[in-house]
Amino acid sequence: MAYQSTTDLNTPIEYLKGVGPVKSEVLKKELGVKTFGDLLQHYPFRYVDKTKITYISDISENSQYIQIRGQITSMAVIGNNRGRRLTAKLADETGEVELVWFKSIPYFQKFLQKGKEYLVFSKPTFFRGKPNFTHPDIEEIANPNIPLSSRLMPIYHSTEKLKAKKLDTRGLSRIIQNLLERLTPDSIPDFLTPEFVEDQQLMGRYEAFKNVHNPSSEQHIVSAQYRLKFEEFFCFQMRLLQVRHVRKKLEGIVLEKLGDKFHNFFNNNLGFELTGAQKRVLKEIRRDTMTGSQMNRLLQGDVGSGKTVVALMTMLMALDNGYQACLMAPTEILAQQHFKSISKMVRGLDINVELLTGSIKGKKRRSLLDYLEIGVIDILIGTHALIEDAVKYKNLGMAIIDEQHRFGVQQRSKLWLKSKIPPHVLVMTATPIPRTLAMTLYGDLDVSQIDELPPGRKAIKTVHRYDKDRLAVFGFVRDQIDKGRQVYMVYPLIEESEAFDYKNLMDGFDSITRAFPPPNYRVSIVHGQMHTVDKDFEMDRFVENKTQILVATTVIEVGVDVPNASVMIIESAERFGLSQLHQLRGRVGRGSEQSYCILMTGHKMTKHGRERIDTMVDTTDGFKIAEVDMRLRGPGDIQGLQQSGFAGLRMGNVVQDQKILQRARSAATLLLDEDPELEKEENQALKNFLKTQAEQQKLEWSRIS
Ligand code: ADP
Ligand code: MG
């Protein structure tokens, strides 16, 4: 046999048979596919069993994805504006269904021809008892160019622009098959050792790629997918664990002693006994900051568990050793809240606390930055403005990040550059995150947990009420107010429909003032469109118990702390996300009185909406809520994931593949225990692979490793 050079996966895609300059351009633009290797990782999202055809008369409301075969009998474009659509009737010998397109109408008008036979693959939906298919996968049967190769046909995601260049799922499949023909086991060497592959019972790498695109059986698909998912999770965990390992060896600021500021606060200002969990966490932090290596710790604690005071005492540790500290919050409102409460907590201790947010500008900002640089400011509180390049500290020793899930690894790493020796970092999250997600988001951090609420708190009672029950709800509110309590009423204000929501809020406010008239009752209102002074004024009246009801938008979601408030009413609760509902509910139950959360909805709710409400009624456990939240939303929506490098997962899914992720994490831990620097001969392939991957993803934090 003639010598055949191996195909390099880095070969630009235009060198592939069937891909010219035009197709390569659109592949780059639409899918980010630049090389052979990239194309290989454009995985099918499902497979069709070509031998299975469903008769139209057999379609039922329970039908999942099915394949039907029939002739187009008629076509029409109907409706206008957003309702404009192309409908086509497709008939087999047993009946007729409707196919519908809202997009790409001209394309399908041309593509579909009356009298021709088509194969349609989709999940039916039912409208007035009849099945129809919206944007189905459809292909002509009598197309002689397309071989019906294997029984299991891979289906690929495509886009309108790709389709216009003949790269629909079929076209993609064809060029991927061309690629597979060129590949040999040598072109896809395994970076995992044979022993490892055997231990983990993985399919070989070459086999996996071949089978995922060209499967010989369902079982082969499962094994191929398992291998590829495992490898994604494994590599990601390896990199996180390596970063952590390397960082533990980096020099960190030594906070030798606890001094006056810490002790004076503890003895004179604290005002309550710390919970066991708070003490434990403070000890963990204290231990970290004395070792001489940099602390990177995640502090998890449910809403109301008392993270703020831990944050403050952690900052005081830095101050006592001559360093500055900063606290970064995700929103301006929360930054202001922190600024107010921390200023109050350190009153009389000779500590200079300042606030820096995006809205502090001009002269004020310049002098603030000067004071920061010469070290006059001890604690700086703010938004992400704190990590802008222009912000220079004299000697930042401790950085606290609150509500971290909105900050990614990259932003965190920016903080490290703020000081010659990187400051210690404590990341606080109030929204508990599922364990597997934590592994991905915070896999490089050590974890502390406040798993205990301050004493004397009663579990919040949560109920669901419909709009028609409003009178009864108002009666209950009146009782509570007469007993001396205060009440929140929250309205959704979601950007896209802001005008509409704003009207709802104002109408709500009017009807509440009518139902709760002065002088017996006073109502405050706070929303995002108000000026800060007005907002503060209204807020303060509520805090000082001069008003009994606070009508608000979600601006009060985070941070607000009024222990006397015992009722949280959430209007149109079905429109809120679970973590938001959980945060809102956390605004009550802070005092010693029994607290209530009332979720108001209309009768119409989506399945997910109902499930969110039911979850809230069933549990106050933030971790359970987070699990449901992740399941309902999917990981793609969760903030912070994008920056975490998590977007690099092409096949693995942290929700569905938790078991694989856990196995990959254990395997990575084990391997690094044996060979922390990946120095062993047999691990060189892996080491190189990880290096290349990190370079490709250009993650900020990989640079320090
Ligand atoms: P979160 O963890 O949600 O940020 P906070 O730090 O705002 O919680 O604390 C919630 C409330 O509990 C605050 O009013 C705070 O003063 C109070 N608190 C915190 N720790 C304790 C404690 N050990 N004992 C009593 N009250 C506490
Ligand atoms: Mg907080």
Side-chain angles (χ1 to χ4, degrees), residues 151-423:
R151 185 172 73 87
L152 292 162
M153 186 180 76
I155 305 286
Y156 297 93
H157 274 300
S158 182
T159 66
E160 230 173 290
K161 287 191 178 128
L162 283 164
K163 283 176 190 163
K165 298 284 180 275
K166 297 216 174 69
L167 290 173
D168 56 0
T169 172
R170 285 258 151 182
L172 285 166
S173 177
R174 209 164 337 168
I175 59 171
I176 290 171
Q177 296 303 327
N178 289 346
L179 175 58
L180 287 178
E181 271 164 31
R182 285 186 63 165
L183 298 179
T184 59
D186 284 347
S187 12
I188 311 182
D190 208 328
F191 55 85
L192 300 170
T193 63
E195 295 73 40
F196 187 97
V197 168
E198 201 188 311
D199 278 356
Q200 297 292 334
Q201 302 182 327
L202 299 176
M203 188 181 252
R205 197 154 198 259
Y206 170 72
E207 289 296 320
F209 277 119
K210 221 173 74 175
N211 270 290
V212 87
H213 292 294
N214 201 357
S216 32
S217 75
E218 265 113 5
Q219 190 45 47
H220 281 82
I221 297 177
V222 173
S223 305
Q225 287 179 333
Y226 184 91
R227 153 75 206 219
L228 295 170
K229 287 174 181 178
F230 184 95
E231 116 177 15
E232 284 179 359
F233 288 133
F234 178 75
C235 290
F236 193 51
Q237 290 301 325
M238 280 297 289
R239 286 187 3 236
L240 286 173
L241 290 168
Q242 276 184 306
V243 168
R244 179 165 145 181
H245 173 77
V246 169
R247 220 162 38 199
K248 283 215 191 292
K249 294 197 314 191
L250 288 183
E251 190 186 358
I253 295 164
V254 182
L255 301 180
E256 265 172 54
K257 56 173 199 280
L258 296 180
D260 286 349
K261 294 195 164 78
F262 188 94
H263 290 304
N264 286 341
F265 173 79
F266 187 76
N267 294 325
N268 306 328
N269 289 35
L270 182 55
F272 47 70
E273 177 82 9
L274 292 174
T275 63
Q278 285 169 322
K279 285 183 196 158
R280 190 186 65 236
V281 169
L282 280 166
K283 271 189 202 137
E284 284 164 355
I285 292 167
R286 179 85 193 103
R287 212 179 308 131
D288 276 4
T289 53
M290 285 166 34
T291 56
S293 65
Q294 186 212 11
M295 173 176 80
N296 273 280
R297 190 166 274 283
L298 172 69
L299 173 56
Q300 279 204 333
D302 214 337
V303 205
S305 62
K307 292 182 294 296
T308 316
V309 68
V310 172
L312 174 60
M313 292 176 79
T314 302
M315 292 195 283
L316 296 181
M317 291 178 196
L319 268 51
D320 272 338
N321 290 275
Y323 291 94
Q324 294 168 301
C326 72
L327 194 167
M328 184 155 72
T331 65
E332 188 139 353
I333 297 225
L334 186 55
Q336 279 165 9
Q337 285 276 338
H338 274 314
F339 174 65
K340 272 191 205 155
S341 62
I342 285 180
S343 304
K344 206 163 106 192
M345 284 155 93
V346 301
R347 206 168 280 161
L349 296 181
D350 189 25
I351 293 172
N352 199 348
V353 185
E354 287 292 344
L355 176 71
L356 178 68
T357 64
S359 63
I360 293 169
K361 296 200 174 88
K363 225 170 122 189
K364 176 109 196 272
R365 185 184 187 84
R366 275 196 302 278
S367 70
L368 220 130
L369 293 182
D370 287 345
Y371 283 141
L372 188 68
E373 199 165 358
I374 58 171
V376 174
I377 296 173
D378 299 311
I379 295 179
L380 186 65
I381 296 174
T383 52
H384 45 269
L386 296 191
I387 54 169
E388 280 165 16
D389 291 337
V391 181
K392 297 197 175 66
Y393 297 79
K394 178 169 179 238
N395 57 0
L396 182 63
M398 177 69 66
I400 315 258
I401 307 177
D402 195 7
E403 298 293 328
Q404 135 78 27
H405 56 295
R406 303 186 194 186
F407 288 106
V409 187
Q410 272 186 32
Q411 279 118 320
R412 224 188 292 151
S413 73
K414 263 190 150 182
L415 267 171
W416 304 339
L417 307 174
K418 287 283 171 202
S419 186
K420 208 163 80 212
I421 303 178

Side-chain angles (χ1 to χ4, degrees), residues 367-629:
S367 70
L368 220 130
L369 293 182
D370 287 345
Y371 283 141
L372 188 68
E373 199 165 358
I374 58 171
V376 174
I377 296 173
D378 299 311
I379 295 179
L380 186 65
I381 296 174
T383 52
H384 45 269
L386 296 191
I387 54 169
E388 280 165 16
D389 291 337
V391 181
K392 297 197 175 66
Y393 297 79
K394 178 169 179 238
N395 57 0
L396 182 63
M398 177 69 66
I400 315 258
I401 307 177
D402 195 7
E403 298 293 328
Q404 135 78 27
H405 56 295
R406 303 186 194 186
F407 288 106
V409 187
Q410 272 186 32
Q411 279 118 320
R412 224 188 292 151
S413 73
K414 263 190 150 182
L415 267 171
W416 304 339
L417 307 174
K418 287 283 171 202
S419 186
K420 208 163 80 212
I421 303 178
H424 298 296
V425 177
L426 180 71
V427 164
M428 305 197 294
T429 165
T431 315
I433 36 174
R435 233 174 72 81
T436 44
L437 191 57
M439 277 178 198
T440 312
L441 265 178
Y442 309 126
D444 60 327
L445 302 177
D446 296 314
V447 179
S448 288
Q449 208 149 354
I450 308 190
D451 46 10
E452 182 186 354
L453 292 178
R457 301 263 175 92
K458 291 202 178 84
I460 301 164
K461 287 191 178 148
T462 304
V463 294
H464 173 203
R465 292 287 180 267
Y466 294 101
D467 291 335
K468 66 171 174 50
D469 308 323
R470 190 171 306 275
L471 271 183
V473 170
F474 278 6
F476 175 75
V477 166
R478 216 163 277 129
D479 282 352
Q480 287 289 308
I481 295 177
D482 293 346
K483 283 185 186 152
R485 305 284 90 75
Q486 288 167 279
V487 179
Y488 294 105
M489 293 192 185
V490 178
Y491 286 78
L493 215 156
I494 296 161
E495 268 167 64
E496 301 127 56
S497 48
E498 210 169 313
F500 169 75
D501 287 336
Y502 188 69
K503 184 174 177 311
N504 266 352
L505 171 73
M506 285 334 234
D507 289 351
F509 179 63
D510 283 348
S511 75
I512 289 159
T513 358
R514 256 179 279 125
F516 298 91
N520 289 344
Y521 305 98
R522 307 257 174 209
V523 186
S524 283
I525 180 163
V526 175
H527 59 78
Q529 300 187 350
M530 287 164 68
H531 287 298
T532 312
V533 254
D534 300 333
K535 239 179 338 203
D536 285 354
F537 175 77
E538 292 281 317
M539 233 10 259
D540 287 345
R541 290 207 308 152
F542 187 69
V543 171
E544 288 161 17
N545 201 359
K546 288 181 184 148
T547 62
Q548 294 85 43
I549 299 177
L550 178 66
V551 176
T553 57
T554 45
V555 293
I556 62 153
E557 181 186 338
V558 273
V560 179
D561 190 27
V562 182
N564 188 48
S566 67
V567 183
M568 166 63 66
I569 297 177
I570 305 174
E571 293 286 343
S572 305
E574 75 277 11
R575 289 179 55 196
F576 291 86
L578 261 178
S579 66
Q580 231 179 355
L581 290 171
H582 182 61
Q583 287 286 328
L584 284 169
R585 179 167 59 185
R587 296 306 106 206
V588 296
R590 300 185 154 235
S592 50
E593 301 299 329
Q594 176 63 53
S595 290
Y596 304 88
C597 175
I598 304 175
L599 305 168
M600 304 289 299
T601 74
H603 274 282
K604 255 198 186 161
M605 266 189 277
T606 62
K607 197 164 148 258
H608 280 187
R610 188 168 289 280
E611 202 169 341
R612 287 196 294 269
I613 302 291
D614 290 348
T615 305
M616 288 297 292
V617 173
D618 285 347
T619 183
T620 51
D621 181 338
F623 282 92
K624 275 193 198 145
I625 291 173
E627 293 278 354
V628 178
D629 192 29

